[in-house]
Amino acid sequence: MATRILNVDDNFDNRYLLESLLKASGFEVISAENGRDALEKAQAQPPDLIVSDILIPVMDGYALCRAWKSDEKLKHIPFVFYTATYTEPKDKKFALSLGAERFLLKPQEPDLLIKIFKEILEDKNTAKQPLSGPLGKEMEYFRQYNEILFRKLEKKILDLETANRELRRPRHYRPEKQHGSTEEGPGRNRSGHCPGGGIERSLHRGPSAPCG
């Protein structure tokens, strides 16, 4: 019977790519788009390994791992985080404290990724358990969880503010006369933008790229 892996990711392209790689390597694959769906599918048909993104809807990866390692039917099954969003040391530390076997950053080389999965499956009898003790476990979990979510939310807000500032930049310009270069650069007007391209074209080219 083929080894079964549960692949959890809300991004279709990411889910499809990993699913294709796993199947090409001889694994049976079950896919889920969110944490709640993954948990229900696992309880109905337990996999041999779960690979989950963190930033997923309904129940995120951290909450899924916590529920996974608290479930008598699932807690012995290795849990691997595979993420491109939660990349800081604190994110990894928190993930491992929940009992995850590995914390991997996207993207990984296909051969290396499969090698890691096979190593974990060979040691599946020693699946980790959450590191926190029973005393104050709930409070500590929510403290760290909220801290990480707040940090990510703060970064999203800063990103949005930066994007809004870019959108608010003046879009008007005065076309240069058709003669040579000016101090703003070849073919540019005095606002620093490429004639006919607007701010979007300038942003794509970068501040020092020639027009044309």
PDB file of all heavy atoms in Angstrom, residues 124-151:
ATOM      1  N   LYS A 124       8.967   7.831  11.851  1.00  0.00           N
ATOM      2  CA  LYS A 124       7.627   8.231  12.282  1.00  0.00           C
ATOM      3  C   LYS A 124       7.223   7.653  13.635  1.00  0.00           C
ATOM      4  O   LYS A 124       6.326   8.159  14.299  1.00  0.00           O
ATOM      5  CB  LYS A 124       6.581   7.863  11.231  1.00  0.00           C
ATOM      6  CG  LYS A 124       6.363   6.381  11.017  1.00  0.00           C
ATOM      7  CD  LYS A 124       5.239   6.122  10.018  1.00  0.00           C
ATOM      8  CE  LYS A 124       3.924   6.614  10.545  1.00  0.00           C
ATOM      9  NZ  LYS A 124       2.792   6.304   9.658  1.00  0.00           N
ATOM     10  N   ASN A 125       7.895   6.592  14.072  1.00  0.00           N
ATOM     11  CA  ASN A 125       7.572   6.012  15.370  1.00  0.00           C
ATOM     12  C   ASN A 125       8.036   6.896  16.522  1.00  0.00           C
ATOM     13  O   ASN A 125       7.701   6.654  17.684  1.00  0.00           O
ATOM     14  CB  ASN A 125       8.203   4.626  15.502  1.00  0.00           C
ATOM     15  CG  ASN A 125       7.559   3.612  14.556  1.00  0.00           C
ATOM     16  OD1 ASN A 125       6.372   3.710  14.246  1.00  0.00           O
ATOM     17  ND2 ASN A 125       8.334   2.642  14.102  1.00  0.00           N
ATOM     18  N   THR A 126       8.840   7.909  16.192  1.00  0.00           N
ATOM     19  CA  THR A 126       9.327   8.823  17.225  1.00  0.00           C
ATOM     20  C   THR A 126       8.745  10.220  17.004  1.00  0.00           C
ATOM     21  O   THR A 126       9.431  11.221  17.195  1.00  0.00           O
ATOM     22  CB  THR A 126      10.870   8.890  17.212  1.00  0.00           C
ATOM     23  OG1 THR A 126      11.303   9.328  15.907  1.00  0.00           O
ATOM     24  CG2 THR A 126      11.470   7.543  17.534  1.00  0.00           C
ATOM     25  N   ALA A 127       7.526  10.296  16.549  1.00  0.00           N
ATOM     26  CA  ALA A 127       6.871  11.583  16.304  1.00  0.00           C
ATOM     27  C   ALA A 127       6.890  12.434  17.563  1.00  0.00           C
ATOM     28  O   ALA A 127       6.697  11.945  18.677  1.00  0.00           O
ATOM     29  CB  ALA A 127       5.436  11.360  15.846  1.00  0.00           C
ATOM     30  N   LYS A 128       7.153  13.718  17.391  1.00  0.00           N
ATOM     31  CA  LYS A 128       7.279  14.626  18.522  1.00  0.00           C
ATOM     32  C   LYS A 128       5.928  14.952  19.147  1.00  0.00           C
ATOM     33  O   LYS A 128       4.896  14.874  18.513  1.00  0.00           O
ATOM     34  CB  LYS A 128       7.959  15.924  18.063  1.00  0.00           C
ATOM     35  CG  LYS A 128       9.411  15.765  17.709  1.00  0.00           C
ATOM     36  CD  LYS A 128       9.948  17.036  17.098  1.00  0.00           C
ATOM     37  CE  LYS A 128       9.777  18.212  18.029  1.00  0.00           C
ATOM     38  NZ  LYS A 128      10.311  19.456  17.457  1.00  0.00           N
ATOM     39  N   GLN A 129       6.016  15.356  20.396  1.00  0.00           N
ATOM     40  CA  GLN A 129       4.844  15.842  21.107  1.00  0.00           C
ATOM     41  C   GLN A 129       5.108  17.310  21.477  1.00  0.00           C
ATOM     42  O   GLN A 129       6.255  17.754  21.529  1.00  0.00           O
ATOM     43  CB  GLN A 129       4.604  15.019  22.379  1.00  0.00           C
ATOM     44  CG  GLN A 129       4.319  13.551  22.096  1.00  0.00           C
ATOM     45  CD  GLN A 129       3.104  13.367  21.210  1.00  0.00           C
ATOM     46  OE1 GLN A 129       2.064  13.950  21.450  1.00  0.00           O
ATOM     47  NE2 GLN A 129       3.241  12.550  20.183  1.00  0.00           N
ATOM     48  N   PRO A 130       4.063  18.078  21.755  1.00  0.00           N
ATOM     49  CA  PRO A 130       4.263  19.476  22.130  1.00  0.00           C
ATOM     50  C   PRO A 130       5.227  19.609  23.301  1.00  0.00           C
ATOM     51  O   PRO A 130       5.220  18.788  24.216  1.00  0.00           O
ATOM     52  CB  PRO A 130       2.850  19.940  22.513  1.00  0.00           C
ATOM     53  CG  PRO A 130       1.951  19.042  21.728  1.00  0.00           C
ATOM     54  CD  PRO A 130       2.639  17.711  21.690  1.00  0.00           C
ATOM     55  N   LEU A 131       6.088  20.659  23.252  1.00  0.00           N
ATOM     56  CA  LEU A 131       7.099  20.838  24.280  1.00  0.00           C
ATOM     57  C   LEU A 131       6.540  21.455  25.559  1.00  0.00           C
ATOM     58  O   LEU A 131       7.118  21.288  26.617  1.00  0.00           O
ATOM     59  CB  LEU A 131       8.220  21.740  23.732  1.00  0.00           C
ATOM     60  CG  LEU A 131       8.942  21.212  22.489  1.00  0.00           C
ATOM     61  CD1 LEU A 131      10.000  22.214  22.056  1.00  0.00           C
ATOM     62  CD2 LEU A 131       9.583  19.856  22.771  1.00  0.00           C
ATOM     63  N   SER A 132       5.447  22.170  25.464  1.00  0.00           N
ATOM     64  CA  SER A 132       4.902  22.854  26.636  1.00  0.00           C
ATOM     65  C   SER A 132       4.341  21.860  27.643  1.00  0.00           C
ATOM     66  O   SER A 132       3.716  20.867  27.278  1.00  0.00           O
ATOM     67  CB  SER A 132       3.786  23.823  26.213  1.00  0.00           C
ATOM     68  OG  SER A 132       4.288  24.752  25.276  1.00  0.00           O
ATOM     69  N   GLY A 133       4.561  22.163  28.926  1.00  0.00           N
ATOM     70  CA  GLY A 133       3.992  21.326  29.969  1.00  0.00           C
ATOM     71  C   GLY A 133       2.544  21.692  30.198  1.00  0.00           C
ATOM     72  O   GLY A 133       2.044  22.679  29.657  1.00  0.00           O
ATOM     73  N   PRO A 134       1.838  20.925  31.026  1.00  0.00           N
ATOM     74  CA  PRO A 134       0.410  21.182  31.239  1.00  0.00           C
ATOM     75  C   PRO A 134       0.118  22.491  31.956  1.00  0.00           C
ATOM     76  O   PRO A 134      -0.892  23.118  31.715  1.00  0.00           O
ATOM     77  CB  PRO A 134      -0.039  19.973  32.085  1.00  0.00           C
ATOM     78  CG  PRO A 134       1.222  19.490  32.736  1.00  0.00           C
ATOM     79  CD  PRO A 134       2.311  19.746  31.736  1.00  0.00           C
ATOM     80  N   LEU A 135       1.028  22.936  32.858  1.00  0.00           N
ATOM     81  CA  LEU A 135       0.789  24.141  33.626  1.00  0.00           C
ATOM     82  C   LEU A 135       0.911  25.391  32.756  1.00  0.00           C
ATOM     83  O   LEU A 135       1.962  25.694  32.200  1.00  0.00           O
ATOM     84  CB  LEU A 135       1.783  24.226  34.798  1.00  0.00           C
ATOM     85  CG  LEU A 135       1.569  25.387  35.772  1.00  0.00           C
ATOM     86  CD1 LEU A 135       0.191  25.308  36.418  1.00  0.00           C
ATOM     87  CD2 LEU A 135       2.662  25.400  36.823  1.00  0.00           C
ATOM     88  N   GLY A 136      -0.171  26.103  32.635  1.00  0.00           N
ATOM     89  CA  GLY A 136      -0.158  27.337  31.858  1.00  0.00           C
ATOM     90  C   GLY A 136      -0.029  27.129  30.367  1.00  0.00           C
ATOM     91  O   GLY A 136       0.278  28.077  29.636  1.00  0.00           O
ATOM     92  N   LYS A 137      -0.244  25.907  29.892  1.00  0.00           N
ATOM     93  CA  LYS A 137      -0.061  25.603  28.471  1.00  0.00           C
ATOM     94  C   LYS A 137      -0.992  26.417  27.597  1.00  0.00           C
ATOM     95  O   LYS A 137      -0.568  26.954  26.559  1.00  0.00           O
ATOM     96  CB  LYS A 137      -0.301  24.097  28.235  1.00  0.00           C
ATOM     97  CG  LYS A 137      -0.077  23.664  26.793  1.00  0.00           C
ATOM     98  CD  LYS A 137      -0.082  22.143  26.668  1.00  0.00           C
ATOM     99  CE  LYS A 137      -1.399  21.537  27.044  1.00  0.00           C
ATOM    100  NZ  LYS A 137      -1.440  20.073  26.786  1.00  0.00           N
ATOM    101  N   GLU A 138      -2.252  26.531  27.986  1.00  0.00           N
ATOM    102  CA  GLU A 138      -3.215  27.272  27.182  1.00  0.00           C
ATOM    103  C   GLU A 138      -2.826  28.747  27.075  1.00  0.00           C
ATOM    104  O   GLU A 138      -2.820  29.325  25.987  1.00  0.00           O
ATOM    105  CB  GLU A 138      -4.612  27.155  27.808  1.00  0.00           C
ATOM    106  CG  GLU A 138      -5.204  25.761  27.763  1.00  0.00           C
ATOM    107  CD  GLU A 138      -5.568  25.350  26.357  1.00  0.00           C
ATOM    108  OE1 GLU A 138      -6.175  26.173  25.652  1.00  0.00           O
ATOM    109  OE2 GLU A 138      -5.245  24.226  25.960  1.00  0.00           O
ATOM    110  N   MET A 139      -2.480  29.345  28.191  1.00  0.00           N
ATOM    111  CA  MET A 139      -2.128  30.761  28.195  1.00  0.00           C
ATOM    112  C   MET A 139      -0.866  31.029  27.378  1.00  0.00           C
ATOM    113  O   MET A 139      -0.779  32.013  26.645  1.00  0.00           O
ATOM    114  CB  MET A 139      -1.941  31.254  29.633  1.00  0.00           C
ATOM    115  CG  MET A 139      -3.231  31.293  30.443  1.00  0.00           C
ATOM    116  SD  MET A 139      -2.980  31.915  32.116  1.00  0.00           S
ATOM    117  CE  MET A 139      -2.455  33.576  31.776  1.00  0.00           C
ATOM    118  N   GLU A 140       0.126  30.154  27.494  1.00  0.00           N
ATOM    119  CA  GLU A 140       1.372  30.339  26.766  1.00  0.00           C
ATOM    120  C   GLU A 140       1.159  30.190  25.268  1.00  0.00           C
ATOM    121  O   GLU A 140       1.732  30.931  24.455  1.00  0.00           O
ATOM    122  CB  GLU A 140       2.413  29.331  27.243  1.00  0.00           C
ATOM    123  CG  GLU A 140       3.766  29.415  26.537  1.00  0.00           C
ATOM    124  CD  GLU A 140       4.444  30.766  26.696  1.00  0.00           C
ATOM    125  OE1 GLU A 140       4.049  31.554  27.589  1.00  0.00           O
ATOM    126  OE2 GLU A 140       5.370  31.049  25.918  1.00  0.00           O
ATOM    127  N   TYR A 141       0.321  29.217  24.916  1.00  0.00           N
ATOM    128  CA  TYR A 141       0.012  29.028  23.493  1.00  0.00           C
ATOM    129  C   TYR A 141      -0.603  30.277  22.901  1.00  0.00           C
ATOM    130  O   TYR A 141      -0.146  30.788  21.877  1.00  0.00           O
ATOM    131  CB  TYR A 141      -0.931  27.840  23.306  1.00  0.00           C
ATOM    132  CG  TYR A 141      -1.566  27.797  21.926  1.00  0.00           C
ATOM    133  CD1 TYR A 141      -0.856  27.340  20.827  1.00  0.00           C
ATOM    134  CD2 TYR A 141      -2.880  28.249  21.732  1.00  0.00           C
ATOM    135  CE1 TYR A 141      -1.426  27.319  19.555  1.00  0.00           C
ATOM    136  CE2 TYR A 141      -3.453  28.222  20.471  1.00  0.00           C
ATOM    137  CZ  TYR A 141      -2.726  27.751  19.391  1.00  0.00           C
ATOM    138  OH  TYR A 141      -3.282  27.743  18.136  1.00  0.00           O
ATOM    139  N   PHE A 142      -1.634  30.818  23.560  1.00  0.00           N
ATOM    140  CA  PHE A 142      -2.329  31.988  23.022  1.00  0.00           C
ATOM    141  C   PHE A 142      -1.439  33.232  23.057  1.00  0.00           C
ATOM    142  O   PHE A 142      -1.542  34.092  22.182  1.00  0.00           O
ATOM    143  CB  PHE A 142      -3.635  32.235  23.780  1.00  0.00           C
ATOM    144  CG  PHE A 142      -4.726  31.278  23.395  1.00  0.00           C
ATOM    145  CD1 PHE A 142      -5.200  30.342  24.285  1.00  0.00           C
ATOM    146  CD2 PHE A 142      -5.261  31.305  22.114  1.00  0.00           C
ATOM    147  CE1 PHE A 142      -6.200  29.442  23.920  1.00  0.00           C
ATOM    148  CE2 PHE A 142      -6.261  30.425  21.737  1.00  0.00           C
ATOM    149  CZ  PHE A 142      -6.723  29.488  22.640  1.00  0.00           C
ATOM    150  N   ARG A 143      -0.560  33.334  24.041  1.00  0.00           N
ATOM    151  CA  ARG A 143       0.349  34.477  24.086  1.00  0.00           C
ATOM    152  C   ARG A 143       1.279  34.490  22.873  1.00  0.00           C
ATOM    153  O   ARG A 143       1.408  35.497  22.172  1.00  0.00           O
ATOM    154  CB  ARG A 143       1.189  34.433  25.360  1.00  0.00           C
ATOM    155  CG  ARG A 143       2.086  35.657  25.537  1.00  0.00           C
ATOM    156  CD  ARG A 143       3.077  35.468  26.662  1.00  0.00           C
ATOM    157  NE  ARG A 143       4.088  34.489  26.315  1.00  0.00           N
ATOM    158  CZ  ARG A 143       5.125  34.732  25.504  1.00  0.00           C
ATOM    159  NH1 ARG A 143       5.269  35.925  24.934  1.00  0.00           N
ATOM    160  NH2 ARG A 143       6.004  33.787  25.239  1.00  0.00           N
ATOM    161  N   GLN A 144       1.901  33.352  22.601  1.00  0.00           N
ATOM    162  CA  GLN A 144       2.812  33.270  21.459  1.00  0.00           C
ATOM    163  C   GLN A 144       2.057  33.375  20.134  1.00  0.00           C
ATOM    164  O   GLN A 144       2.519  34.018  19.190  1.00  0.00           O
ATOM    165  CB  GLN A 144       3.594  31.950  21.503  1.00  0.00           C
ATOM    166  CG  GLN A 144       4.547  31.849  22.669  1.00  0.00           C
ATOM    167  CD  GLN A 144       5.426  30.621  22.572  1.00  0.00           C
ATOM    168  OE1 GLN A 144       6.075  30.378  21.553  1.00  0.00           O
ATOM    169  NE2 GLN A 144       5.431  29.836  23.635  1.00  0.00           N
ATOM    170  N   TYR A 145       0.908  32.734  20.071  1.00  0.00           N
ATOM    171  CA  TYR A 145       0.090  32.752  18.854  1.00  0.00           C
ATOM    172  C   TYR A 145      -0.325  34.190  18.506  1.00  0.00           C
ATOM    173  O   TYR A 145      -0.173  34.639  17.374  1.00  0.00           O
ATOM    174  CB  TYR A 145      -1.137  31.869  19.079  1.00  0.00           C
ATOM    175  CG  TYR A 145      -2.050  31.712  17.897  1.00  0.00           C
ATOM    176  CD1 TYR A 145      -1.643  30.980  16.781  1.00  0.00           C
ATOM    177  CD2 TYR A 145      -3.332  32.259  17.891  1.00  0.00           C
ATOM    178  CE1 TYR A 145      -2.490  30.808  15.695  1.00  0.00           C
ATOM    179  CE2 TYR A 145      -4.181  32.092  16.814  1.00  0.00           C
ATOM    180  CZ  TYR A 145      -3.754  31.367  15.720  1.00  0.00           C
ATOM    181  OH  TYR A 145      -4.597  31.209  14.649  1.00  0.00           O
ATOM    182  N   ASN A 146      -0.814  34.919  19.521  1.00  0.00           N
ATOM    183  CA  ASN A 146      -1.246  36.296  19.296  1.00  0.00           C
ATOM    184  C   ASN A 146      -0.069  37.203  18.939  1.00  0.00           C
ATOM    185  O   ASN A 146      -0.204  38.112  18.124  1.00  0.00           O
ATOM    186  CB  ASN A 146      -1.954  36.834  20.543  1.00  0.00           C
ATOM    187  CG  ASN A 146      -3.317  36.209  20.751  1.00  0.00           C
ATOM    188  OD1 ASN A 146      -3.933  35.733  19.801  1.00  0.00           O
ATOM    189  ND2 ASN A 146      -3.790  36.184  21.990  1.00  0.00           N
ATOM    190  N   GLU A 147       1.075  36.944  19.539  1.00  0.00           N
ATOM    191  CA  GLU A 147       2.268  37.742  19.241  1.00  0.00           C
ATOM    192  C   GLU A 147       2.674  37.589  17.779  1.00  0.00           C
ATOM    193  O   GLU A 147       2.989  38.566  17.093  1.00  0.00           O
ATOM    194  CB  GLU A 147       3.422  37.304  20.147  1.00  0.00           C
ATOM    195  CG  GLU A 147       4.716  38.060  19.891  1.00  0.00           C
ATOM    196  CD  GLU A 147       5.864  37.541  20.735  1.00  0.00           C
ATOM    197  OE1 GLU A 147       5.606  37.084  21.880  1.00  0.00           O
ATOM    198  OE2 GLU A 147       7.019  37.556  20.262  1.00  0.00           O
ATOM    199  N   ILE A 148       2.648  36.360  17.281  1.00  0.00           N
ATOM    200  CA  ILE A 148       3.017  36.099  15.890  1.00  0.00           C
ATOM    201  C   ILE A 148       1.998  36.701  14.930  1.00  0.00           C
ATOM    202  O   ILE A 148       2.353  37.345  13.937  1.00  0.00           O
ATOM    203  CB  ILE A 148       3.158  34.575  15.651  1.00  0.00           C
ATOM    204  CG1 ILE A 148       4.411  34.066  16.365  1.00  0.00           C
ATOM    205  CG2 ILE A 148       3.218  34.252  14.161  1.00  0.00           C
ATOM    206  CD1 ILE A 148       4.556  32.559  16.354  1.00  0.00           C
ATOM    207  N   LEU A 149       0.723  36.532  15.233  1.00  0.00           N
ATOM    208  CA  LEU A 149      -0.320  37.098  14.370  1.00  0.00           C
ATOM    209  C   LEU A 149      -0.238  38.627  14.338  1.00  0.00           C
ATOM    210  O   LEU A 149      -0.408  39.240  13.283  1.00  0.00           O
ATOM    211  CB  LEU A 149      -1.707  36.654  14.852  1.00  0.00           C
ATOM    212  CG  LEU A 149      -2.077  35.189  14.639  1.00  0.00           C
ATOM    213  CD1 LEU A 149      -3.512  34.947  15.088  1.00  0.00           C
ATOM    214  CD2 LEU A 149      -1.928  34.782  13.182  1.00  0.00           C
ATOM    215  N   PHE A 150       0.024  39.235  15.493  1.00  0.00           N
ATOM    216  CA  PHE A 150       0.136  40.692  15.552  1.00  0.00           C
ATOM    217  C   PHE A 150       1.314  41.162  14.692  1.00  0.00           C
ATOM    218  O   PHE A 150       1.215  42.160  13.971  1.00  0.00           O
ATOM    219  CB  PHE A 150       0.325  41.142  16.998  1.00  0.00           C
ATOM    220  CG  PHE A 150       0.504  42.633  17.138  1.00  0.00           C
ATOM    221  CD1 PHE A 150      -0.593  43.483  17.084  1.00  0.00           C
ATOM    222  CD2 PHE A 150       1.769  43.182  17.302  1.00  0.00           C
ATOM    223  CE1 PHE A 150      -0.436  44.855  17.203  1.00  0.00           C
ATOM    224  CE2 PHE A 150       1.938  44.553  17.413  1.00  0.00           C
ATOM    225  CZ  PHE A 150       0.834  45.396  17.373  1.00  0.00           C
ATOM    226  N   ARG A 151       2.421  40.447  14.762  1.00  0.00           N
ATOM    227  CA  ARG A 151       3.606  40.821  13.980  1.00  0.00           C
ATOM    228  C   ARG A 151       3.312  40.736  12.485  1.00  0.00           C
ATOM    229  O   ARG A 151       3.710  41.590  11.700  1.00  0.00           O
ATOM    230  CB  ARG A 151       4.763  39.894  14.368  1.00  0.00           C
ATOM    231  CG  ARG A 151       6.079  40.254  13.730  1.00  0.00           C
ATOM    232  CD  ARG A 151       7.263  39.657  14.463  1.00  0.00           C
ATOM    233  NE  ARG A 151       6.965  38.513  15.269  1.00  0.00           N
ATOM    234  CZ  ARG A 151       7.096  37.250  14.853  1.00  0.00           C
ATOM    235  NH1 ARG A 151       7.480  37.012  13.606  1.00  0.00           N
ATOM    236  NH2 ARG A 151       6.850  36.255  15.655  1.00  0.00           N
TER     237      ARG A 151
END
